[in-house]
Amino acid sequence: MATATPKPIKCKAAVGRAAGEPLQIEEVVVAPPKAHEVRIKIICTSLCHSDVTFWRMKGNPLAVHPRIFGHEAVGTIESIGEHVDEFKVGDLVVPVFTGQCHECADCTSERGSNICSLLPFRISPAMPRDGTTRFTDMNGESIYHFTGVSSFSEYTVVDVTQVVKLDAAVEHNKLCLLSCGVSTGVGAAWKLAGVDVGSTVAIFGLGSVGLAVAEGCRIRGASRIIGVDLNPDKFELGKKFGLTDFVNPKDIGDKSVSKVITEMTNGGADYCFECIGLASLMSDAFKSTHQGWGKTIILGVEMHGSPLCIAPYELLNGRCVMGSLFGGIKPKDDIPTLLNKYLNKELELDKFITHEIGLDEINKAFDLLLEGKSLRCIIWMDK
């Protein structure tokens, strides 16, 4: 139980007022947390490509404005609502976009599901339990949420199922990365694919998630990690994350990517990961896996809504396709494990951080990502 009744807080936030337009730095009011909620003072946040996707989105029911984006962050608990026993004021935490309630059949299952059925993941403009918002502008008008996190604000309110406590004394910018992108990629290699020592891997798309997949495969002991990307600069960058080979589709003539990878790997890769979100590349990834045991993990959300088409007979040879939400990570169980891997110098987080700025410069982070110049830009609230 909270020891004092929390009050509304005025603070700065970066507000998206219209699709694709620069975020506006405004003073907003953040309501107190309700039951099963906590209010978090954000220390730093970072920009994920999913934020950009929904920031630019038009003509879709999910495209809601005004909105506070952001879902990858670290902060401290400022206040707690009723029925919150898991956290106390001052706890260091990372918010996450999908929850773990420890109660529903999915969260308690040993089969590996990380999709909470009590409060399932949605791109909702409101809080998950009561469908209302905790943000208003200075005119009293509602400002909407993003993935239940909305970390582009000095303070935010998050459901307790979407908050993970961390105890280690680690630089905050590193902890921030565990909130989404790095955990998604490393988790896909670890939790979903189960990449084994000596295996061969192909990764389609070498953005931050694709490189996090490479990092996960490196940690798991893959002997060959092939990157597929149209940007030749990604190979040199990817070597830092464990890439051993590189395929640029523009440089292979009339051959298909799947044929090139099949030839390189003497029959196909053991594991393929699609990290862009194009049905054609998902099909290429599937065809690049080895007959009999090849696994294709889909991390990218198809950007055009196109279906994935695989002929049924192609499944008869033992290949399989798996979907991925948050890399199969159960946040409260697995993010502390990833933190320990960082502390044990297995997981290298530093190389994902390419830029660091203050909240007032947040639109620069969008420019850098859209220009392909950054992996993760850390946005500090106090700079």
Side-chain angles (χ1 to χ4, degrees), residues 12 21-22 28 42 46-47 60 145 147 152 161 187 204 208 229 260 292 340-341 362 381:
K12 286 198 306 182
E21 294 186 3
V28 302
I42 298 295
S46 58
L47 179 64
N60 187 301
H145 293 252
T147 69
F152 294 168
T161 61
F204 289 69
S208 56
D229 202 285
V260 170
N340 285 333
K341 289 183 181 296
I362 192 169
M381 293 296 163

Side-chain angles (χ1 to χ4, degrees), residues 119-379:
L119 295 172
F121 167 68
R122 294 188 180 96
I123 305 292
S124 171
M127 294 297 290
R129 293 181 193 259
D130 68 1
T132 63
T133 179
R134 302 293 174 269
F135 298 110
T136 53
D137 64 18
M138 299 313 294
N139 295 319
E141 299 294 326
S142 294
I143 300 176
Y144 297 103
H145 293 252
F146 181 65
T147 69
V149 176
S150 294
S151 59
F152 294 168
S153 174
E154 292 179 313
Y155 290 85
T156 189
V157 176
V158 183
D159 193 272
V160 290
T161 61
Q162 294 179 233
V163 181
V164 180
K165 181 180 177 180
L166 298 177
D167 294 320
V170 175
E171 298 95 331
H172 293 134
N173 55 354
K174 313 302 190 304
L175 294 177
C176 178
L177 300 179
L178 297 176
S179 185
C180 179
V182 171
S183 295
T184 296
V186 174
W190 162 40
K191 299 282 289 187
L192 292 179
V195 169
D196 47 6
V197 174
S199 57
T200 59
V201 174
I203 302 167
F204 289 69
L206 298 176
S208 56
V209 172
L211 291 172
V213 171
E215 178 76 356
C217 294
R218 179 192 66 78
I219 294 170
R220 296 284 296 180
S223 63
R224 197 169 189 185
I225 305 174
I226 304 165
V228 181
D229 202 285
L230 293 169
N231 184 349
D233 295 336
K234 292 292 181 73
F235 186 30
E236 286 304 313
L237 175 63
K239 288 179 181 177
K240 299 178 182 178
F241 297 84
L243 286 192
T244 58
D245 301 88
F246 184 75
V247 174
N248 188 331
K250 295 187 295 186
D251 298 336
I252 59 178
D254 295 333
K255 286 186 177 180
S256 66
V257 172
S258 59
K259 183 172 179 57
V260 170
I261 291 176
T262 299
E263 291 176 351
M264 291 173 67
T265 57
N266 192 28
D270 300 311
Y271 307 94
C272 283
F273 299 83
E274 201 278 346
C275 304
I276 295 177
L278 286 172
S280 59
L281 291 182
M282 297 174 191
S283 178
D284 284 344
F286 176 79
K287 293 174 182 176
S288 300
T289 58
H290 200 288
Q291 294 187 31
W293 62 76
K295 284 185 181 180
T296 301
I297 315 298
I298 306 297
L299 288 86
V301 178
E302 220 295 329
M303 61 184 72
H304 306 299
S306 301
L308 171 59
C309 297
I310 297 174
Y313 75 85
E314 293 184 321
L315 297 171
L316 298 178
N317 61 19
R319 294 166 168 162
C320 72
V321 179
M322 303 177 67
S324 168
L325 178 68
F326 203 16
I329 289 290
K330 285 190 173 184
K332 293 178 187 287
D333 293 345
D334 296 328
I335 288 179
T337 299
L338 291 176
L339 176 57
N340 285 333
K341 289 183 181 296
Y342 172 70
L343 294 172
N344 293 333
K345 302 188 184 306
E346 297 175 68
L347 173 60
E348 299 172 7
L349 294 174
D350 307 59
K351 57 193 178 187
F352 287 92
I353 300 172
T354 53
H355 300 80
E356 301 193 46
I357 60 175
L359 180 63
D360 290 342
E361 301 177 279
I362 192 169
N363 290 300
K364 181 179 178 181
F366 282 73
D367 294 338
L368 289 166
L369 186 61
L370 291 170
E371 293 166 4
K373 295 179 180 178
S374 73
L375 291 178
R376 277 298 186 263
C377 180
I378 303 297
I379 301 156

Side-chain angles (χ1 to χ4, degrees), residues 19-91:
E21 294 186 3
L23 303 185
Q24 304 296 314
I25 304 299
E26 302 182 15
E27 188 171 53
V28 302
V29 177
V30 185
K34 294 186 178 182
H36 307 288
E37 297 174 355
V38 297
R39 189 162 56 189
I40 300 172
K41 181 179 181 181
I42 298 295
I43 298 170
C44 62
T45 182
S46 58
L47 179 64
C48 173
H49 206 280
S50 296
D51 297 307
V52 176
T53 297
F54 286 92
W55 163 71
R56 294 194 294 191
M57 186 178 290
K58 295 180 180 180
N60 187 301
L62 299 177
V64 179
H65 295 89
R67 197 172 208 172
I68 296 176
F69 293 96
H71 63 281
E72 188 172 280
V74 63
T76 56
I77 301 292
E78 177 273 335
S79 57
I80 60 177
E82 293 182 335
H83 311 305
V84 175
D85 301 316
E86 185 179 350
F87 303 101
K88 64 180 186 301
V89 172
D91 282 347

